[in-house]
Amino acid sequence: MFSGGEYSPSETEPFSCLNSVTASRKKKNKNKRRFSDEQIKSLETMFKSETRLEPRKKMQLARELGLQPRQVAIWFQNKRARWRSKQLEGDYSILRANYNSLASQFETLKKEKQALAIQLQKLNDPMKKPGEEGEFSGQGAAVNRSEGEYTTKGESDMNPRLSNEQPEHGLGVLSYEDNSIKAEYFELEEPNIMSMVEPADGSLTSQEDWVSLDSDGLFDQSSSGYQWWDFWA
Amino acid sequence: MFSGGEYSPSETEPFSCLNSVTASRKKKNKNKRRFSDEQIKSLETMFKSETRLEPRKKMQLARELGLQPRQVAIWFQNKRARWRSKQLEGDYSILRANYNSLASQFETLKKEKQALAIQLQKLNDPMKKPGEEGEFSGQGAAVNRSEGEYTTKGESDMNPRLSNEQPEHGLGVLSYEDNSIKAEYFELEEPNIMSMVEPADGSLTSQEDWVSLDSDGLFDQSSSGYQWWDFWA
DNA sequence: TTATTGTCCGTAATTAGTTCA
DNA sequence: ATGAACTAATTACGGACAATA
């Protein structure tokens, strides 16, 4: 029902200025902004087919919905903005999932490589005692090592190319000083995990006191205190 | 009087209703909205020390700046929101950098493993023709394989744990069917790269026609058309 | 219990700066 | 080079929710 609905400042009044009204009825009324569900639905549908509106359809839509063309235009602008930030959120969780996936693949790959190295060592020199598991430290090109010499503790200088600067934000790419991957990047974000702090909320890291959550360096340099870009933007 | 900044609807008038006013001075004046630089500066400073302020200081600050307490409160809310989304952006680029780093480490690790496998094979049976390079497909626990048996084409079922559901958004974690890492996740986002499509813009993936960018599956399932959560949210 | 207060969220609308036909 | 349309950043509002008095 929501009797209110319309509201529309109409073509003749370019500004709405919904003052007073203050002491509104508790429930209904819907005295001011917030387009009606049908208006929203139409706009949404339109947006799905084209995120930008040609003047043609803008006018038409505005007439149909009883809104000013300006309002339709603004709605589309805001919608695009909202959409972009939603996009970012989605991309983020996908990227995080991919990262976690890759990380565990990395771990198993490392184990496999270790296994191969051990086998190789056994074949190479069956008499050696199995203390430090040996591996290559090579770059993949220098494969044909003579025979028995390994450098212990591989993965040390794996790829030097990562050390280029990151002028973007003064961000320093994190050079993976040790070769353990820090396991899951952020626990895959099931809502149940955050729920200890604040039960009903679907957002990502946001919360009133999320600052206290990642205290053990899960993010390595992000999301803990505040640093670099946050203020002074 | 006070043609300048102030505006403040004052304590007596809870609503502002700034219509007309239209014909404004070109440069100065700053008609309505937009607090003055000093107000902003104070607010910003305050925010830096405490992102949420107790009613005590809210009042004081409001008096100092000639704003309604409500405005101060709202400014802080909005600021917190802006800050969070900035945070997300930062986290995203860090995560992407880490992903790229990990990906290239993964590549070199894979090469190294391959190299070991080849060596092993050579030692194992020097007479065999070097067709399919053999590897383990094992899970890391079953390391001590008898000796000569390899399964060609490793990495197939590397980690089954990734296939748990992702109820969050209906997002399907992307199971890495092939073992090539797709190289750089998104080219490290130097502004110069985007500049082919739209020169001056610092945002992340946003652009009017960014849809045409990742045509070969860089994001695998993100950022190409639109799917799941975007509309119908 | 209900009423108050504070927070976050989604969103409408405004402003300033940029782009383009 | 003027103006229409866009973007990004802001200001502001109302509703949902939680803690509290």
Short mmCIF file of all heavy atoms in Angstrom, two decimals, chain A residues 17 48 84 86-87 91 98 101 104 108-109 112-113 120 123 136 138 159 162 167 171 184-185 190 208 210 222-223 229 232, chain B residues 17 48 52 83 86-87 91 94 98 104 109 112-113 116 119-120 123 138 158-159 161 167 176 185 190 206 222-223 229 232:
data_model
loop_
_atom_site.label_atom_id
_atom_site.label_comp_id
_atom_site.label_asym_id
_atom_site.label_seq_id
_atom_site.Cartn_x
_atom_site.Cartn_y
_atom_site.Cartn_z
N CYS A 17 12.40 20.85 -1.35
CA CYS A 17 12.47 21.60 -0.10
C CYS A 17 11.54 21.10 0.98
O CYS A 17 11.01 21.85 1.77
CB CYS A 17 12.10 23.05 -0.39
SG CYS A 17 12.61 24.17 0.88
N LYS A 48 19.60 -2.09 -16.39
CA LYS A 48 20.14 -3.39 -16.73
C LYS A 48 20.44 -3.46 -18.22
O LYS A 48 21.42 -4.07 -18.64
CB LYS A 48 19.15 -4.49 -16.33
CG LYS A 48 19.79 -5.59 -15.51
CD LYS A 48 18.77 -6.61 -15.07
CE LYS A 48 17.68 -5.99 -14.20
NZ LYS A 48 16.80 -7.01 -13.58
N ARG A 84 29.75 0.62 -9.53
CA ARG A 84 31.20 0.49 -9.58
C ARG A 84 31.76 0.02 -8.24
O ARG A 84 32.63 -0.85 -8.20
CB ARG A 84 31.84 1.82 -9.98
CG ARG A 84 32.02 1.96 -11.47
CD ARG A 84 32.82 3.19 -11.80
NE ARG A 84 32.08 4.43 -11.51
CZ ARG A 84 31.34 5.05 -12.40
NH1 ARG A 84 31.23 4.60 -13.61
NH2 ARG A 84 30.70 6.16 -12.06
N LYS A 86 30.26 -1.60 -5.96
CA LYS A 86 29.87 -3.00 -5.78
C LYS A 86 30.80 -3.90 -6.58
O LYS A 86 31.25 -4.94 -6.11
CB LYS A 86 28.44 -3.20 -6.29
CG LYS A 86 27.38 -2.98 -5.24
CD LYS A 86 27.27 -4.19 -4.33
CE LYS A 86 26.15 -4.04 -3.33
NZ LYS A 86 26.27 -4.99 -2.22
N GLN A 87 31.08 -3.50 -7.78
CA GLN A 87 32.01 -4.23 -8.63
C GLN A 87 33.32 -4.48 -7.90
O GLN A 87 33.82 -5.58 -7.86
CB GLN A 87 32.29 -3.44 -9.91
CG GLN A 87 31.44 -3.82 -11.10
CD GLN A 87 31.78 -5.19 -11.64
OE1 GLN A 87 32.79 -5.76 -11.26
NE2 GLN A 87 30.95 -5.70 -12.52
N ASP A 91 34.98 -7.97 -7.16
CA ASP A 91 36.31 -8.30 -7.65
C ASP A 91 37.23 -8.68 -6.50
O ASP A 91 38.03 -9.59 -6.60
CB ASP A 91 36.91 -7.10 -8.40
CG ASP A 91 36.26 -6.90 -9.75
OD1 ASP A 91 35.41 -7.72 -10.12
OD2 ASP A 91 36.63 -5.94 -10.45
N ASN A 98 40.77 -16.48 -5.43
CA ASN A 98 41.81 -16.95 -6.32
C ASN A 98 43.16 -16.99 -5.61
O ASN A 98 43.95 -17.91 -5.81
CB ASN A 98 41.91 -16.05 -7.55
CG ASN A 98 40.72 -16.23 -8.46
OD1 ASN A 98 39.84 -17.05 -8.21
ND2 ASN A 98 40.68 -15.46 -9.53
N SER A 101 43.24 -19.99 -3.40
CA SER A 101 43.42 -21.18 -4.23
C SER A 101 44.87 -21.32 -4.67
O SER A 101 45.50 -22.35 -4.46
CB SER A 101 42.50 -21.07 -5.45
OG SER A 101 42.89 -22.01 -6.42
N SER A 104 47.25 -22.35 -1.92
CA SER A 104 47.33 -23.75 -1.51
C SER A 104 47.94 -24.61 -2.62
O SER A 104 48.68 -25.54 -2.34
CB SER A 104 45.96 -24.27 -1.09
OG SER A 104 45.08 -24.24 -2.18
N THR A 108 51.21 -27.13 -2.19
CA THR A 108 51.36 -28.53 -2.60
C THR A 108 52.45 -28.66 -3.65
O THR A 108 53.22 -29.61 -3.62
CB THR A 108 50.05 -29.12 -3.14
OG1 THR A 108 49.76 -28.54 -4.39
CG2 THR A 108 48.89 -28.87 -2.19
N LEU A 109 52.53 -27.66 -4.54
CA LEU A 109 53.59 -27.72 -5.53
C LEU A 109 54.94 -27.76 -4.83
O LEU A 109 55.85 -28.50 -5.23
CB LEU A 109 53.53 -26.49 -6.43
CG LEU A 109 53.78 -26.67 -7.93
CD1 LEU A 109 54.14 -25.36 -8.58
CD2 LEU A 109 54.83 -27.70 -8.20
N GLU A 112 55.61 -31.11 -3.52
CA GLU A 112 55.96 -32.04 -4.60
C GLU A 112 57.40 -31.84 -5.04
O GLU A 112 58.13 -32.80 -5.27
CB GLU A 112 55.01 -31.84 -5.78
CG GLU A 112 53.60 -32.27 -5.47
CD GLU A 112 52.66 -31.97 -6.63
OE1 GLU A 112 53.11 -31.33 -7.61
OE2 GLU A 112 51.49 -32.36 -6.54
N LYS A 113 57.74 -30.61 -5.16
CA LYS A 113 59.11 -30.32 -5.58
C LYS A 113 60.09 -30.88 -4.55
O LYS A 113 61.10 -31.49 -4.90
CB LYS A 113 59.31 -28.83 -5.71
CG LYS A 113 60.72 -28.45 -6.12
CD LYS A 113 60.90 -26.95 -6.05
CE LYS A 113 62.38 -26.61 -6.03
NZ LYS A 113 62.60 -25.19 -5.72
N LEU A 120 65.65 -37.35 -5.88
CA LEU A 120 66.85 -37.12 -6.67
C LEU A 120 68.09 -37.35 -5.82
O LEU A 120 69.05 -37.99 -6.24
CB LEU A 120 66.84 -35.68 -7.20
CG LEU A 120 67.14 -35.48 -8.68
CD1 LEU A 120 67.37 -34.02 -8.98
CD2 LEU A 120 68.33 -36.33 -9.12
N LEU A 123 68.74 -40.97 -5.19
CA LEU A 123 69.32 -41.64 -6.35
C LEU A 123 70.76 -41.22 -6.56
O LEU A 123 71.60 -42.01 -6.97
CB LEU A 123 68.50 -41.32 -7.60
CG LEU A 123 67.19 -42.08 -7.72
CD1 LEU A 123 66.43 -41.62 -8.95
CD2 LEU A 123 67.48 -43.57 -7.82
N PHE A 136 67.21 -27.20 -5.57
CA PHE A 136 67.85 -26.22 -6.43
C PHE A 136 67.55 -24.83 -5.91
O PHE A 136 66.56 -24.61 -5.24
CB PHE A 136 67.28 -26.31 -7.85
CG PHE A 136 67.86 -27.45 -8.61
CD1 PHE A 136 67.05 -28.19 -9.44
CD2 PHE A 136 69.19 -27.78 -8.48
CE1 PHE A 136 67.56 -29.25 -10.15
CE2 PHE A 136 69.70 -28.83 -9.20
CZ PHE A 136 68.88 -29.58 -10.03
N GLY A 138 68.16 -22.67 -8.41
CA GLY A 138 68.36 -22.16 -9.77
C GLY A 138 67.18 -21.41 -10.32
O GLY A 138 66.13 -21.35 -9.73
N ASN A 159 62.25 -14.78 -7.44
CA ASN A 159 62.16 -13.90 -8.60
C ASN A 159 62.46 -12.45 -8.23
O ASN A 159 61.70 -11.80 -7.55
CB ASN A 159 60.80 -13.98 -9.27
CG ASN A 159 59.71 -13.83 -8.27
OD1 ASN A 159 59.95 -13.94 -7.07
ND2 ASN A 159 58.53 -13.51 -8.73
N LEU A 162 60.21 -8.90 -8.80
CA LEU A 162 59.15 -8.34 -7.98
C LEU A 162 59.55 -7.06 -7.27
O LEU A 162 58.74 -6.37 -6.70
CB LEU A 162 58.71 -9.34 -6.93
CG LEU A 162 57.44 -10.07 -7.24
CD1 LEU A 162 56.35 -9.05 -7.51
CD2 LEU A 162 57.62 -10.94 -8.47
N PRO A 167 54.91 2.97 -7.47
CA PRO A 167 54.69 4.41 -7.26
C PRO A 167 53.23 4.74 -6.99
O PRO A 167 52.93 5.81 -6.52
CB PRO A 167 55.12 5.02 -8.59
CG PRO A 167 54.97 3.91 -9.58
CD PRO A 167 55.20 2.65 -8.85
N LEU A 171 53.02 2.08 -2.00
CA LEU A 171 52.77 0.72 -1.52
C LEU A 171 53.96 -0.15 -1.83
O LEU A 171 54.50 -0.11 -2.91
CB LEU A 171 51.53 0.21 -2.24
CG LEU A 171 51.03 -1.19 -2.05
CD1 LEU A 171 49.57 -1.20 -2.42
CD2 LEU A 171 51.78 -2.14 -2.95
N GLU A 184 45.61 -19.18 4.40
CA GLU A 184 44.44 -18.45 3.90
C GLU A 184 44.54 -16.95 4.09
O GLU A 184 44.79 -16.47 5.17
CB GLU A 184 43.21 -18.95 4.66
CG GLU A 184 43.02 -20.42 4.53
CD GLU A 184 43.05 -20.87 3.10
OE1 GLU A 184 42.27 -20.31 2.32
OE2 GLU A 184 43.87 -21.74 2.76
N TYR A 185 44.26 -16.25 3.06
CA TYR A 185 44.44 -14.81 3.10
C TYR A 185 43.48 -14.13 4.05
O TYR A 185 43.81 -13.23 4.77
CB TYR A 185 44.24 -14.21 1.71
CG TYR A 185 45.00 -12.96 1.55
CD1 TYR A 185 46.31 -12.99 1.06
CD2 TYR A 185 44.46 -11.75 1.89
CE1 TYR A 185 47.02 -11.84 0.93
CE2 TYR A 185 45.17 -10.59 1.76
CZ TYR A 185 46.46 -10.63 1.27
OH TYR A 185 47.17 -9.48 1.14
N GLU A 190 33.47 -16.35 5.37
CA GLU A 190 32.13 -16.82 5.65
C GLU A 190 31.55 -15.89 6.70
O GLU A 190 32.25 -15.53 7.64
CB GLU A 190 32.20 -18.25 6.21
CG GLU A 190 31.24 -19.21 5.57
CD GLU A 190 31.77 -19.77 4.27
OE1 GLU A 190 32.93 -20.16 4.24
OE2 GLU A 190 31.01 -19.81 3.29
N GLU A 208 32.40 -1.61 13.17
CA GLU A 208 32.75 -0.52 14.04
C GLU A 208 34.14 -0.70 14.62
O GLU A 208 34.90 0.22 14.74
CB GLU A 208 31.75 -0.43 15.17
CG GLU A 208 30.35 -0.66 14.67
CD GLU A 208 29.34 0.00 15.58
OE1 GLU A 208 29.75 0.81 16.42
OE2 GLU A 208 28.17 -0.28 15.43
N TRP A 210 36.44 -3.27 13.59
CA TRP A 210 37.17 -4.28 12.83
C TRP A 210 38.67 -4.09 12.98
O TRP A 210 39.45 -4.96 12.66
CB TRP A 210 36.81 -4.19 11.35
CG TRP A 210 37.07 -2.85 10.82
CD1 TRP A 210 36.23 -1.79 10.86
CD2 TRP A 210 38.25 -2.40 10.19
NE1 TRP A 210 36.82 -0.71 10.30
CE2 TRP A 210 38.06 -1.05 9.88
CE3 TRP A 210 39.46 -3.01 9.85
CZ2 TRP A 210 39.04 -0.29 9.25
CZ3 TRP A 210 40.42 -2.26 9.23
CH2 TRP A 210 40.22 -0.92 8.94
N SER A 222 48.23 -4.28 5.31
CA SER A 222 46.99 -3.56 5.05
C SER A 222 46.10 -3.65 6.27
O SER A 222 46.29 -4.48 7.13
CB SER A 222 46.31 -4.21 3.86
OG SER A 222 44.94 -4.35 4.10
N SER A 223 45.13 -2.82 6.32
CA SER A 223 44.01 -2.98 7.25
C SER A 223 44.34 -2.98 8.72
O SER A 223 43.46 -3.06 9.54
CB SER A 223 43.26 -4.28 6.97
OG SER A 223 42.52 -4.12 5.82
N TRP A 229 47.99 6.29 2.43
CA TRP A 229 46.93 6.97 1.73
C TRP A 229 45.66 7.34 2.48
O TRP A 229 44.91 8.18 2.07
CB TRP A 229 46.55 6.11 0.55
CG TRP A 229 46.17 4.76 0.99
CD1 TRP A 229 47.01 3.73 1.25
CD2 TRP A 229 44.88 4.30 1.31
NE1 TRP A 229 46.31 2.66 1.68
CE2 TRP A 229 45.01 2.97 1.72
CE3 TRP A 229 43.60 4.89 1.28
CZ2 TRP A 229 43.93 2.22 2.10
CZ3 TRP A 229 42.54 4.13 1.66
CH2 TRP A 229 42.71 2.81 2.07
N TRP A 232 44.68 12.26 4.41
CA TRP A 232 45.49 13.05 3.47
C TRP A 232 45.25 12.61 2.05
O TRP A 232 46.12 12.66 1.21
CB TRP A 232 46.98 12.90 3.75
CG TRP A 232 47.26 12.74 5.18
CD1 TRP A 232 46.98 13.61 6.16
CD2 TRP A 232 47.88 11.61 5.81
NE1 TRP A 232 47.38 13.13 7.35
CE2 TRP A 232 47.94 11.90 7.17
CE3 TRP A 232 48.39 10.41 5.33
CZ2 TRP A 232 48.49 11.02 8.08
CZ3 TRP A 232 48.93 9.54 6.23
CH2 TRP A 232 48.97 9.83 7.59
N CYS B 17 16.68 23.85 3.09
CA CYS B 17 15.83 24.24 1.99
C CYS B 17 16.41 25.29 1.05
O CYS B 17 15.75 26.17 0.57
CB CYS B 17 14.52 24.80 2.53
SG CYS B 17 13.19 24.84 1.37
N LYS B 48 41.51 12.37 12.51
CA LYS B 48 42.75 11.63 12.52
C LYS B 48 43.02 11.09 13.93
O LYS B 48 43.54 9.99 14.08
CB LYS B 48 43.91 12.53 12.07
CG LYS B 48 44.73 11.89 10.96
CD LYS B 48 45.80 12.85 10.45
CE LYS B 48 45.20 14.10 9.85
NZ LYS B 48 46.18 14.92 9.12
N ARG B 52 35.76 8.28 15.77
CA ARG B 52 34.42 8.51 16.32
C ARG B 52 34.55 9.38 17.54
O ARG B 52 35.37 9.14 18.40
CB ARG B 52 33.71 7.20 16.63
CG ARG B 52 34.68 6.09 16.85
CD ARG B 52 34.08 4.71 17.07
NE ARG B 52 32.84 4.44 16.44
CZ ARG B 52 32.70 3.66 15.40
NH1 ARG B 52 33.76 3.13 14.81
NH2 ARG B 52 31.53 3.41 14.92
N TRP B 83 36.27 6.53 4.28
CA TRP B 83 37.52 5.93 4.73
C TRP B 83 37.51 4.42 4.50
O TRP B 83 38.46 3.85 4.00
CB TRP B 83 37.70 6.25 6.21
CG TRP B 83 38.96 5.74 6.78
CD1 TRP B 83 40.21 6.19 6.51
CD2 TRP B 83 39.10 4.67 7.72
NE1 TRP B 83 41.13 5.47 7.25
CE2 TRP B 83 40.47 4.54 7.99
CE3 TRP B 83 38.19 3.83 8.37
CZ2 TRP B 83 40.97 3.59 8.88
CZ3 TRP B 83 38.69 2.89 9.24
CH2 TRP B 83 40.07 2.78 9.50
N LYS B 86 37.91 3.62 0.88
CA LYS B 86 39.31 3.82 0.51
C LYS B 86 40.14 2.64 0.97
O LYS B 86 40.99 2.13 0.25
CB LYS B 86 39.84 5.09 1.18
CG LYS B 86 39.61 6.36 0.37
CD LYS B 86 40.64 6.46 -0.73
CE LYS B 86 40.50 7.75 -1.50
NZ LYS B 86 41.14 7.68 -2.83
N GLN B 87 39.89 2.22 2.18
CA GLN B 87 40.56 1.05 2.72
C GLN B 87 40.44 -0.14 1.77
O GLN B 87 41.42 -0.78 1.43
CB GLN B 87 39.94 0.67 4.06
CG GLN B 87 40.65 1.21 5.28
CD GLN B 87 41.99 0.55 5.52
OE1 GLN B 87 42.34 -0.41 4.85
NE2 GLN B 87 42.74 1.10 6.44
N ASP B 91 43.34 -2.22 0.09
CA ASP B 91 43.48 -3.65 0.28
C ASP B 91 43.49 -4.37 -1.06
O ASP B 91 44.26 -5.30 -1.28
CB ASP B 91 42.32 -4.20 1.12
CG ASP B 91 42.46 -3.79 2.58
OD1 ASP B 91 43.46 -3.15 2.91
OD2 ASP B 91 41.56 -4.12 3.36
N ILE B 94 46.82 -4.00 -2.85
CA ILE B 94 47.84 -4.79 -2.17
C ILE B 94 47.65 -6.27 -2.49
O ILE B 94 48.60 -6.98 -2.86
CB ILE B 94 47.77 -4.59 -0.65
CG1 ILE B 94 48.28 -3.20 -0.31
CG2 ILE B 94 48.59 -5.64 0.07
CD1 ILE B 94 48.12 -2.86 1.16
N ASN B 98 50.18 -8.81 -4.26
CA ASN B 98 50.59 -10.08 -3.68
C ASN B 98 50.25 -11.24 -4.59
O ASN B 98 51.03 -12.17 -4.74
CB ASN B 98 49.91 -10.29 -2.33
CG ASN B 98 50.45 -9.35 -1.28
OD1 ASN B 98 51.36 -8.56 -1.56
ND2 ASN B 98 49.89 -9.41 -0.09
N SER B 104 53.97 -15.29 -10.00
CA SER B 104 55.23 -15.49 -10.70
C SER B 104 56.13 -16.43 -9.92
O SER B 104 56.86 -17.23 -10.51
CB SER B 104 55.91 -14.16 -10.99
OG SER B 104 56.24 -13.53 -9.80
N LEU B 109 58.52 -21.78 -9.56
CA LEU B 109 58.52 -23.03 -8.82
C LEU B 109 58.18 -24.19 -9.73
O LEU B 109 58.79 -25.25 -9.68
CB LEU B 109 57.50 -22.96 -7.69
CG LEU B 109 57.88 -23.54 -6.32
CD1 LEU B 109 56.66 -23.83 -5.50
CD2 LEU B 109 58.73 -24.79 -6.46
N GLU B 112 61.05 -25.08 -11.83
CA GLU B 112 62.06 -25.79 -11.06
C GLU B 112 61.65 -27.24 -10.83
O GLU B 112 62.46 -28.15 -10.96
CB GLU B 112 62.28 -25.09 -9.72
CG GLU B 112 62.91 -23.74 -9.87
CD GLU B 112 63.05 -23.04 -8.52
OE1 GLU B 112 62.53 -23.58 -7.53
OE2 GLU B 112 63.65 -21.97 -8.49
N LYS B 113 60.43 -27.42 -10.53
CA LYS B 113 59.95 -28.77 -10.31
C LYS B 113 60.11 -29.60 -11.58
O LYS B 113 60.56 -30.74 -11.54
CB LYS B 113 58.49 -28.74 -9.88
CG LYS B 113 57.90 -30.12 -9.66
CD LYS B 113 56.41 -30.03 -9.43
CE LYS B 113 55.77 -31.39 -9.67
NZ LYS B 113 54.31 -31.28 -9.67
N LEU B 116 63.60 -30.62 -11.99
CA LEU B 116 63.93 -31.75 -11.12
C LEU B 116 63.37 -33.04 -11.69
O LEU B 116 64.05 -34.07 -11.70
CB LEU B 116 63.34 -31.53 -9.73
CG LEU B 116 64.03 -30.51 -8.84
CD1 LEU B 116 63.36 -30.46 -7.49
CD2 LEU B 116 65.51 -30.86 -8.69
N GLN B 119 65.52 -34.24 -14.50
CA GLN B 119 66.76 -34.82 -13.97
C GLN B 119 66.51 -36.20 -13.41
O GLN B 119 67.24 -37.15 -13.69
CB GLN B 119 67.29 -33.92 -12.85
CG GLN B 119 67.97 -32.68 -13.39
CD GLN B 119 69.33 -32.50 -12.76
OE1 GLN B 119 69.56 -32.92 -11.62
NE2 GLN B 119 70.24 -31.92 -13.50
N LEU B 120 65.46 -36.29 -12.64
CA LEU B 120 65.13 -37.57 -12.03
C LEU B 120 64.94 -38.64 -13.08
O LEU B 120 65.47 -39.74 -12.98
CB LEU B 120 63.85 -37.42 -11.21
CG LEU B 120 63.88 -37.96 -9.78
CD1 LEU B 120 62.50 -38.01 -9.20
CD2 LEU B 120 64.52 -39.34 -9.75
N LEU B 123 68.18 -39.74 -14.60
CA LEU B 123 68.93 -40.63 -13.72
C LEU B 123 68.27 -41.99 -13.63
O LEU B 123 68.93 -43.02 -13.56
CB LEU B 123 69.02 -40.02 -12.32
CG LEU B 123 70.03 -38.89 -12.18
CD1 LEU B 123 69.96 -38.30 -10.79
CD2 LEU B 123 71.43 -39.40 -12.46
N GLY B 138 50.87 -36.59 -6.78
CA GLY B 138 50.59 -36.94 -5.40
C GLY B 138 50.14 -35.78 -4.54
O GLY B 138 50.12 -34.64 -4.96
N MET B 158 44.93 -31.15 -7.87
CA MET B 158 45.85 -30.71 -6.84
C MET B 158 45.26 -30.55 -5.45
O MET B 158 45.67 -31.18 -4.51
CB MET B 158 46.47 -29.39 -7.23
CG MET B 158 47.95 -29.57 -7.30
SD MET B 158 48.72 -28.34 -8.26
CE MET B 158 50.30 -28.30 -7.49
N ASN B 159 44.34 -29.66 -5.30
CA ASN B 159 43.73 -29.59 -3.97
C ASN B 159 42.22 -29.60 -4.03
O ASN B 159 41.61 -28.63 -4.42
CB ASN B 159 44.22 -28.39 -3.19
CG ASN B 159 44.08 -27.15 -4.01
OD1 ASN B 159 43.94 -27.24 -5.22
ND2 ASN B 159 44.06 -26.01 -3.37
N ARG B 161 40.18 -29.41 -1.69
CA ARG B 161 39.52 -28.62 -0.65
C ARG B 161 38.93 -27.33 -1.20
O ARG B 161 38.10 -26.68 -0.59
CB ARG B 161 40.49 -28.32 0.47
CG ARG B 161 41.02 -26.95 0.41
CD ARG B 161 41.80 -26.49 1.57
NE ARG B 161 41.35 -25.17 1.91
CZ ARG B 161 41.31 -24.17 1.02
NH1 ARG B 161 41.65 -24.34 -0.23
NH2 ARG B 161 40.88 -22.99 1.38
N PRO B 167 28.73 -19.78 -0.36
CA PRO B 167 27.35 -19.30 -0.26
C PRO B 167 27.25 -17.77 -0.25
O PRO B 167 26.19 -17.22 -0.43
CB PRO B 167 26.89 -19.86 1.09
CG PRO B 167 28.15 -20.06 1.86
CD PRO B 167 29.20 -20.37 0.87
N TYR B 176 40.46 -23.50 -11.28
CA TYR B 176 41.75 -23.67 -11.95
C TYR B 176 41.87 -24.98 -12.70
O TYR B 176 42.67 -25.85 -12.37
CB TYR B 176 42.89 -23.58 -10.94
CG TYR B 176 43.27 -22.18 -10.70
CD1 TYR B 176 42.87 -21.54 -9.54
CD2 TYR B 176 43.99 -21.48 -11.63
CE1 TYR B 176 43.19 -20.23 -9.32
CE2 TYR B 176 44.31 -20.16 -11.42
CZ TYR B 176 43.91 -19.54 -10.26
OH TYR B 176 44.22 -18.26 -10.05
N TYR B 185 47.80 -10.64 -12.94
CA TYR B 185 46.36 -10.58 -12.71
C TYR B 185 45.72 -9.38 -13.36
O TYR B 185 44.67 -9.45 -13.92
CB TYR B 185 46.06 -10.56 -11.22
CG TYR B 185 44.71 -11.12 -10.91
CD1 TYR B 185 44.56 -12.47 -10.66
CD2 TYR B 185 43.60 -10.31 -10.92
CE1 TYR B 185 43.30 -12.98 -10.40
CE2 TYR B 185 42.35 -10.82 -10.66
CZ TYR B 185 42.21 -12.16 -10.40
OH TYR B 185 40.98 -12.67 -10.15
N GLU B 190 49.51 0.26 -13.43
CA GLU B 190 50.17 1.53 -13.57
C GLU B 190 49.23 2.40 -14.40
O GLU B 190 48.65 1.92 -15.36
CB GLU B 190 51.49 1.35 -14.34
CG GLU B 190 52.66 2.02 -13.71
CD GLU B 190 53.28 1.20 -12.59
OE1 GLU B 190 53.46 0.00 -12.79
OE2 GLU B 190 53.56 1.78 -11.54
N SER B 206 37.35 0.71 -13.00
CA SER B 206 36.21 1.44 -13.51
C SER B 206 36.54 2.18 -14.79
O SER B 206 37.59 2.76 -14.93
CB SER B 206 35.78 2.47 -12.47
OG SER B 206 36.77 3.45 -12.33
N SER B 222 35.17 -12.52 -13.23
CA SER B 222 34.79 -11.22 -12.71
C SER B 222 34.88 -10.21 -13.82
O SER B 222 35.54 -10.41 -14.82
CB SER B 222 35.75 -10.82 -11.60
OG SER B 222 36.04 -9.45 -11.67
N SER B 223 34.20 -9.11 -13.63
CA SER B 223 34.46 -7.94 -14.46
C SER B 223 34.20 -8.12 -15.94
O SER B 223 34.38 -7.19 -16.70
CB SER B 223 35.90 -7.47 -14.31
OG SER B 223 36.06 -6.88 -13.07
N TRP B 229 25.50 -10.72 -8.32
CA TRP B 229 25.17 -9.64 -7.42
C TRP B 229 24.93 -8.24 -7.98
O TRP B 229 24.30 -7.43 -7.37
CB TRP B 229 26.27 -9.54 -6.41
CG TRP B 229 27.56 -9.31 -7.09
CD1 TRP B 229 28.35 -10.25 -7.64
CD2 TRP B 229 28.17 -8.07 -7.35
NE1 TRP B 229 29.43 -9.67 -8.22
CE2 TRP B 229 29.35 -8.33 -8.06
CE3 TRP B 229 27.82 -6.75 -7.03
CZ2 TRP B 229 30.18 -7.33 -8.47
CZ3 TRP B 229 28.66 -5.75 -7.46
CH2 TRP B 229 29.84 -6.06 -8.18
N TRP B 232 20.00 -6.36 -9.16
CA TRP B 232 19.20 -7.18 -8.25
C TRP B 232 19.83 -7.25 -6.88
O TRP B 232 19.71 -8.23 -6.18
CB TRP B 232 19.05 -8.62 -8.75
CG TRP B 232 18.98 -8.71 -10.21
CD1 TRP B 232 18.04 -8.15 -11.00
CD2 TRP B 232 19.89 -9.38 -11.08
NE1 TRP B 232 18.31 -8.43 -12.30
CE2 TRP B 232 19.43 -9.18 -12.38
CE3 TRP B 232 21.04 -10.14 -10.86
CZ2 TRP B 232 20.09 -9.70 -13.48
CZ3 TRP B 232 21.69 -10.66 -11.96
CH2 TRP B 232 21.23 -10.43 -13.25
#
